[in-house]
Structure formats: C-alpha cells, structure tokens
Amino acid sequence: MPLLEIRNLTKVFVPTDSPFGGSSAAKSRREVRAVDDVSIDIEPGETLGLVGESGSGKSTLGRLILRLIEPTSGSIRYQGHDLLAASRKEMRSLRRDMQIIFQDPFASLDPRFRVEDIIAEPLIIHKREGASSLSRSVQQSGDSDLRSQVTELLRAVGLDESALRRYPHEFSGGQRQRIGIARALALKPKFIVCDEPVSALDVSVGAQIVNLLQQLQKDFGLTYLFISHSMPVVRYLSTRIAVMYRGKIVEIGETGKITENPTHPYTRSLLAATPELATQQN
C-alpha cells in the first residue's frame, strides 16, 4: 500500500479582483494553473525525485500534499487517511508524520530564537496541546528531557551541543540547513518534503547535505519527496523520478529508466542540459 496516494490534484491561483473591474473572461485568462491534474503514488521508504524548471509547480505540489496550501480539486490520502476531509485536530495529529525542509536555510529559521528553541518548537507545540501553558524557551521550561532530545537531534545532523545557545546568523548556510533538518526530524516523521534543500548552497556543501539526507533515511526509515531543478542531484538520491512541466507530471518511472531512456521531449531537454548525463545518453 502506498504511503501517499495523490489523485487528480489541481491548484488554480485566481488573481484578486481588480477595483477597476474587468470581464470574467479576462480574469480567467489571468488564472494560473500551478498544479494540473496530478496523480502519483509515493511508496514507504522511497525517495521520489520531483524535477523541473523554476515555475513548473514543484514546490506548490509539495505544499499541497502537506496542506500548507489548499487544493482546488483532487484527493490526497496518507496511509489511507483522506487528508482533505481531515479536521484541524486530525490534521494536527497527522502532521507529526509529515514535515518539510525548506529551500532557504536562513529565511526558514526565526532569527530571534536560539537553536535549541528552534528545534524544540515542534515538540513544545505538540506538548502544549492539553496543557494550560508551556514556555517556548527550553531554558525557561527547565525541561532536561526536552534539552536532551534537542541535543540528540543536533548530533544526528552532525552538530554538537555548542550550537544550542547560538542564533541562526552565527552559522554557515550548510549548518543552518542541518538545523532545519533537525527541526523537521523532531516529531519523528515518516514522510518529509525536501523542497530544493541544496539549491541555495554551494556544490560541496550541497553534496554533504544530500549524503546526510541519505544517512538519515536509513537511520530513521524516512520517505522523501525530493524537489529539485537539478537532474544530477535527483538521479543520485532518488528511487524514482517524476518530471514536472507546466503543472503536469509528464513522465515518471524508475531512476535508471528515466535517465537512460527518457520518452518525453522535456525530459530529454533536461538531460541534454546536463553535460555528464547527456554524454551517457549518446
């Protein structure tokens, strides 16, 4: 049984009504069909690479799956649960299993808070349910078990205890992304959307993060949707590849099949734009 079943998922962004009016036909022409009738399955333990150029709808699809934005139509089932029919309370519980790693490792971290509080925040939020109050600060809460959990998460991503009391601006881009990954792991999720997690990093640092994600997948039994515009990165990390173009999945299959024998012209153009992969095609 697939971990995630996505069927006919569509997201249409409609422009805000102009104060100067305008015909309905003109408005419909300005509509953006960011995700267009997408149907995919994601199997437990796999990495499904989602590749395409900027603006193809990749990040929108990832956010739709997590219901960070609401779809226009379609269905999303996670382990048999209908996510679009789930109440806020049910969705809050299901979100323990589904997390996201963002593209920009600086913008995604609150600069006002220390690393220990950033990583502990998901744990604190879920502990707060049913509790009258709970400090957002690990230090103020005096919760030694919470600090221990945060320390273990830091170690899992290759950082040590000295990072706990520091702020995001004190770290390099690669270190900040490790902090973001530790936060995503805090609630022990089964599924993580990796939304271009290495595109803002230089090549050597990005390679370290990719290797870390592979190791964490083995250690924690994770399932990834790995979003990227880089075919080499997707090929290296993914079990299967889905190619997205103008909001549609135009090709999907095993990594070797997609990279060695692509059938869609857009997939071939992506491979041709990558010299080392294009050479393998010839």
Side-chain angles (χ1 to χ4, degrees):
M1 178 181 177
L3 186 73
L4 273 156
E5 300 171 86
I6 294 115
R7 296 290 180 269
N8 309 112
L9 198 62
T10 297
K11 179 62 180 180
V12 179
F13 289 102
V14 181
T16 305
D17 288 344
S18 168
F20 304 104
S23 69
S24 58
K27 290 176 184 176
S28 67
R29 286 196 297 271
R30 296 198 305 272
E31 290 179 353
V32 177
R33 192 170 284 266
V35 174
D36 190 1
D37 198 32
V38 167
S39 296
I40 54 173
D41 289 340
I42 302 177
E43 300 294 332
E46 80 163 334
T47 298
L48 176 64
L50 184 62
V51 66
E53 63 192 357
S54 297
S56 61
K58 308 184 303 296
S59 293
T60 301
L61 177 58
R63 284 162 169 74
L64 287 171
I65 291 171
L66 300 181
R67 276 191 65 188
L68 298 179
I69 55 178
E70 296 296 328
T72 303
S73 60
S75 68
I76 308 165
R77 300 189 75 85
Y78 173 77
Q79 290 189 319
H81 297 281
D82 185 346
L83 296 189
L84 301 186
S87 66
R88 287 186 65 182
K89 184 177 180 181
E90 290 169 334
M91 198 65 212
R92 197 179 303 120
S93 176
L94 288 167
R95 280 211 176 100
R96 295 180 67 96
D97 277 356
M98 300 184 293
Q99 295 294 314
I100 185 168
I101 300 166
F102 293 99
Q103 175 180 358
D104 187 336
F106 189 72
S108 64
L109 303 178
D110 192 328
R112 301 169 298 171
F113 293 96
R114 299 179 194 271
V115 166
E116 64 179 353
D117 297 322
I118 289 170
I119 297 174
E121 186 171 27
L123 295 163
I124 290 171
I125 287 171
H126 282 270
K127 279 186 177 182
R128 186 179 291 133
E129 294 172 17
S132 57
S133 65
L134 190 62
S135 171
R136 185 174 179 176
S137 167
V138 175
Q139 189 176 37
Q140 290 176 5
S141 71
D143 189 333
S144 60
D145 182 57
L146 183 60
R147 174 166 285 193
S148 176
Q149 289 180 68
V150 172
T151 302
E152 286 303 311
L153 287 163
L154 277 174
R155 288 176 180 152
V157 299
L159 296 173
D160 60 37
E161 197 169 350
S162 65
L164 287 171
R165 301 292 295 160
R166 295 162 64 190
Y167 291 91
H169 71 269
E170 299 179 65
F171 296 89
S172 68
Q175 289 171 327
R176 289 196 291 262
Q177 193 59 288
R178 289 172 187 268
I179 294 164
I181 293 169
R183 179 179 59 186
L185 291 173
L187 294 174
K188 301 181 180 178
K190 294 185 177 72
F191 172 69
I192 298 180
V193 173
C194 305
D195 188 7
E196 305 220 34
V198 299
S199 64
L201 306 174
D202 62 36
V203 174
S204 61
V205 176
Q208 293 171 19
I209 295 299
V210 166
N211 290 334
L212 172 64
L213 289 171
Q214 281 189 316
Q215 187 59 52
L216 293 172
Q217 185 172 43
K218 294 175 184 176
D219 292 344
F220 294 95
L222 299 169
T223 301
Y224 293 142
L225 174 66
F226 188 88
I227 298 169
S228 180
H229 61 267
S230 170
M231 183 65 87
V233 173
V234 166
R235 183 190 67 158
Y236 177 76
L237 192 63
S238 303
T239 313
R240 291 186 301 141
I241 294 175
V243 181
M244 199 163 188
Y245 179 64
R246 294 188 176 181
K248 289 183 175 290
I249 301 294
V250 296
E251 188 165 4
I252 187 168
E254 299 296 324
T255 297
K257 181 179 178 182
I258 294 293
T259 56
E260 294 168 17
N261 188 30
T263 59
H264 195 275
Y266 179 66
T267 309
R268 291 197 291 269
S269 72
L270 286 177
L271 292 166
T274 310
E276 63 269 32
L277 295 183
T279 301
Q280 293 174 15
Q281 298 294 305
N282 298 326

